[in-house]
Amino acid sequence: MTTVILAEKPSQAKNYIESFNSYEKYDGYFKVEDPIFNDETFVTYCFGHLVTLAKPEYYNPDYAKSWNLKQLPIFPTAFHFEVAEGKHKQFNIVRELLNKANTIVIATDSDREGENIAWSILNQVHITNQQKNIKRLWINSLEKSVVLEGFKNLKDDEDYYNFFVEAQTRQLSDWLVGMNLTRLFTCVLGQQGIRSTFSVGRVQTPTLNLVYERDLAIKNFKSVPYFEVESEILTDSEKFVSKLTPSKQFENESNLITFIENNDAQKGLQDGYIQSVEKKRKNSASPRLFSLSSLQSEVNRRYKATASETLKAVQSLYEKKLLSYPRSDCNYITEAEFAYLKENIDNYAILFNKDVSLFTQIEPDKRYVNNKKVQEHYAIIPTRNIPTTEQIQSFNKLELQIYTLVVATTLAMFMEPYLYDETIIITKVGNLTFKASGQIPISKGWHEMIKVTENEKHLPEVIEGQVVKAYLVSVEKKTSSPKPFTEGTLITAMKTAGKTLDDKEAQSILKDVEGIGTEATRANIIDELKKKEYLVISKNKLHVSPKGSILCQAAASSQTLVSASMTAEWEKKLKLIGHGEFEQKQFLANVKQFIQELVGDVPTKLKDNQNLVTQIKENSNNNNKIIGTCPLCKKGKIMYRENKKEPRRSFYGCNRYKEGCKFGFSQIIAGKKLTNNNAKELIEKGKTKKINGFKKKDGGSFAAALKLDLTADRNKVIFDFSKK
């Protein structure tokens, strides 16, 4: 009898085999021995997706020759899957092992995509659960004890098979939307003279539209001045500011004065009295535990790391067996996790040089511990493994920041609430009511672990009925524009389907709130939008590029396509498929109907909307070519000058060349075509991040940063191979 364990990637397989008694390494697999296995046992692995969907030209070679509207829609009668390019060798090794197996253990990542990766291979090899005994390893940590316990208590894969159906449905629907609508909008915009490929996606387009609408709101925002009335209250020995309650805004000062006088008061100094004094002791609990989205948002806010950088760092810490499963959408843990965390408090506390006497909350609190709220995965927390000094020193900067943040947030759960006294003083001036509130810290509690600004504000001792002097003033203010998205706030907006929530609320969003994308895909979606030059980032702020703006304006011809709430509804249906409550066939039929309607409507709607056509052309012709300010003359603008007949002659140059500025460089350097983002970074910072894909003379490739050399009026772009 033979058992084959299928891991998702080599590093995962390595973590498994290191948990067993012994192993032998072969080409593409391992043979392992351990008391928990009675059979001959092998561990093999994928390289992510070994099997992928075929490209459109598989169904019709003409699809590769040219794109035109007459080809649409592209609806394969049956989808064809094939071995991914460059992965045939490993696929053949996996296939041979699976065919000889009596028992197959799916040990890919414990999520929907992991199921999809495994079953795509099983289907390609024509293996069913009627032919083989198929089990599932489902764990939340790569610690040796957890791995061994998981293999001792394997699940029936029938319990998880619907996750594969859900993930495959997402894969098929994304293929249908991407292949059809990318061609649709590229062709339609091409008819308007805009020669570019416009990639459209079921999730990426509504995500892009969130940023586009925010940018539009900022651009169209007009700050409006307004006036408010405040009062400076003077007691015998102290004074404090008190604000009108309920608050009221006035268009001009004249209206404010009229309002005051109509309420038996006046600007300036007058008598008033203390109507009430209320003192309450209050507390605030520590932050909720992290899901991936809330962690990505917080890390971006604190350290300006991108969503994908955070995911990569958390994944690394997971593979180092120090953090639990990273792609979790849950903020809760079960009592089992609480128990092991409680046992290890002393060890975690040493990392922060904290006295263990601070950790007095040793009973589970439903704010953090709720078995019913945990389904597939629990919150991101530290494992039982405590990193050594050497391990900590090996962390990169972001890994150290994230590990520290996760452990601190977890430990805060065991600490007392932050205690403070709140005083509210209500003062009457004529018929007007003014309110002042003060906050005095009493006990830091969990603030000892996580630094938080404490809004300490002392108010003087007063008593009800006390006569005071009140100095009424008018305060001129202005309305504030919306804030641009950061990657952190965009992740939150995706999680909530565009609803605006502050950070504290965002942490309490549970998995039953359907957003757009999934915990595992949101970072990649943002990366794709940046890669395709739809989104640009500057000083941690996200903005839509001119090309992205063109697509959003065109895509607005279908509100369904750009609607975050509608995409969230699709995600909800996909989740129902994962629970066996909705059919793949019905979902794909709905997607096809949606595509069919767009193929029929978009060309006419866009052609008939001349204002939109004119606006799109202006955006394309005027804005898309300006990259930034010239770093040489400091006055001109760097323009992208495209040569369609000879693309190799396309370049970036200063528009003050007639005045003598000779700054410029080719778009293609060492066989690598630079993106506008590369050029913008080079111009603004003088150096790019490392770029892959430069060509060597012998046909090989290399990676390097590009750097401006403007010394002594030189104008060169040079390679920089330094590690910084």
Side-chain angles (χ1 to χ4, degrees), residues 619-688:
N619 252 326
S620 177
N621 295 332
N622 298 329
N623 297 333
N624 204 28
K625 297 180 180 179
I626 299 175
I627 306 301
T629 301
C630 179
L632 187 61
C633 72
K634 310 293 186 184
K635 296 178 181 178
K637 297 294 183 183
I638 302 302
M639 309 288 288
Y640 170 52
R641 303 184 186 280
E642 183 179 17
N643 190 320
K644 293 180 180 179
K645 291 183 179 181
E646 296 183 66
R648 284 190 164 276
R649 293 193 174 185
S650 297
F651 71 100
Y652 298 95
C654 180
N655 64 357
R656 293 186 71 252
Y657 62 93
K658 290 183 179 180
E659 284 81 11
C661 184
K662 297 179 180 180
F663 181 84
F665 56 92
S666 174
Q667 186 188 33
I668 299 176
I669 298 177
K672 171 70 176 180
K673 183 179 179 180
L674 303 184
T675 66
N676 282 354
N677 282 347
N678 294 149
K680 187 177 180 68
E681 183 178 32
L682 182 61
I683 291 162
E684 289 182 349
K685 299 181 180 180
K687 181 181 175 181
T688 69

Side-chain angles (χ1 to χ4, degrees), residues 699-712:
S701 63
F702 66 95
L706 293 177
K707 185 177 180 180
L708 285 180
D709 182 0
L710 304 177
T711 56

Side-chain angles (χ1 to χ4, degrees), residues 209-473:
N209 197 63
L210 287 173
V211 184
Y212 170 72
E213 289 187 341
R214 178 64 59 86
D215 279 357
L216 207 59
I218 294 169
K219 179 182 177 182
N220 295 332
F221 178 81
K222 293 182 179 179
S223 184
V224 178
Y226 65 92
F227 292 82
E228 288 184 339
V229 58
E230 292 181 358
S231 179
E232 188 175 64
I233 308 300
L234 302 116
T235 66
D236 293 336
S237 57
E238 296 184 65
K239 59 184 178 181
F240 59 93
V241 174
S242 194
K243 296 186 177 182
L244 184 70
T245 182
S247 61
K248 188 176 177 63
Q249 296 179 358
F250 302 91
E251 291 183 0
N252 52 59
E253 191 171 22
S254 177
N255 290 350
L256 179 146
I257 292 171
T258 300
F259 170 79
I260 293 174
E261 291 176 347
N262 287 341
N263 282 277
D264 293 335
Q266 62 189 26
K267 277 188 70 176
L269 194 63
Q270 60 221 279
D271 287 336
Y273 70 94
I274 304 300
Q275 185 181 54
S276 64
V277 180
E278 183 180 6
K279 292 185 178 181
K280 284 186 178 179
R281 179 150 295 183
K282 292 190 173 184
N283 66 73
S284 69
S286 68
R288 293 180 184 274
L289 302 175
F290 286 116
S291 67
L292 177 58
S293 287
S294 62
L295 181 59
Q296 286 169 320
S297 297
E298 183 66 12
V299 171
N300 178 259
R301 185 184 71 82
R302 285 173 176 257
Y303 310 120
K304 308 300 182 278
T306 67
S308 60
E309 287 170 343
T310 297
L311 178 55
K312 182 181 178 182
V314 181
Q315 179 71 27
S316 174
L317 291 165
Y318 168 67
E319 292 181 4
K320 290 173 181 174
K321 307 175 186 179
L322 296 173
L323 289 185
S324 61
Y325 183 72
R327 293 170 178 82
S328 173
D329 60 355
C330 182
N331 298 94
Y332 293 91
I333 57 174
T334 70
E335 292 181 3
E337 287 80 57
F338 184 84
Y340 90 66
L341 291 169
K342 179 178 170 182
E343 289 174 4
N344 282 281
I345 285 178
D346 291 13
N347 294 323
Y348 300 134
I350 291 171
L351 297 174
F352 292 87
N353 296 315
K354 295 294 182 183
D355 189 330
V356 293
S357 64
L358 292 170
F359 306 104
T360 59
Q361 302 295 93
I362 56 174
E363 296 301 320
D365 185 328
K366 284 189 176 181
R367 177 176 171 82
Y368 319 97
V369 186
N370 191 326
N371 291 17
K372 293 179 181 178
K373 294 289 187 181
V374 179
Q375 294 183 23
E376 294 120 41
H377 299 289
Y378 49 76
I380 300 173
I381 56 173
T383 64
R384 296 171 181 82
N385 293 340
I386 308 300
T388 63
T389 302
E390 291 75 18
Q391 278 182 301
I392 292 174
Q393 289 173 347
S394 73
F395 291 171
N396 64 39
K397 184 179 180 181
L398 185 58
E399 286 174 349
L400 180 60
Q401 289 170 328
I402 289 174
Y403 184 74
T404 302
L405 179 61
V406 171
V407 177
T409 302
T410 305
L411 282 178
M413 169 180 66
F414 293 97
M415 302 180 76
E416 295 286 344
Y418 164 60
L419 281 183
Y420 61 95
D421 280 343
E422 183 181 73
T423 301
I424 296 176
I425 299 175
I426 302 296
T427 306
K428 284 296 268 190
V429 182
N431 294 324
L432 299 177
T433 304
F434 291 88
K435 177 181 177 181
S437 60
Q439 189 179 115
I440 308 300
I442 301 300
S443 172
K444 283 184 173 294
W446 61 269
H447 283 201
E448 295 274 6
M449 182 59 61
I450 303 174
K451 289 185 179 180
V452 178
T453 301
E454 294 168 5
N455 298 317
E456 185 171 346
K457 181 183 175 183
H458 291 261
L459 290 176
E461 289 293 331
V462 293
I463 58 174
E464 287 186 16
Q466 180 177 338
V467 176
V468 294
K469 292 292 184 181
Y471 193 88
L472 271 57
V473 296

Side-chain angles (χ1 to χ4, degrees), residues 45 85 87 109 119 155 174 227 257 347 383 422 426 446 487 509 528-530 581 598 639 657 670 688 720:
Y45 47 83
E85 187 177 347
K87 298 183 180 181
D109 278 357
W119 273 103
K155 315 288 186 184
D174 287 348
F227 292 82
I257 292 171
N347 294 323
T383 64
E422 183 181 73
I426 302 296
W446 61 269
E487 287 204 27
I509 297 168
E528 281 297 305
L529 290 170
K530 291 190 293 186
E581 298 170 12
L598 262 64
M639 309 288 288
Y657 62 93
T688 69
D720 186 339

Side-chain angles (χ1 to χ4, degrees), residues 492 500-507:
T492 300
T500 302
L501 298 174
D502 64 30
D503 290 342
K504 188 175 289 187
E505 287 178 301
Q507 287 198 355

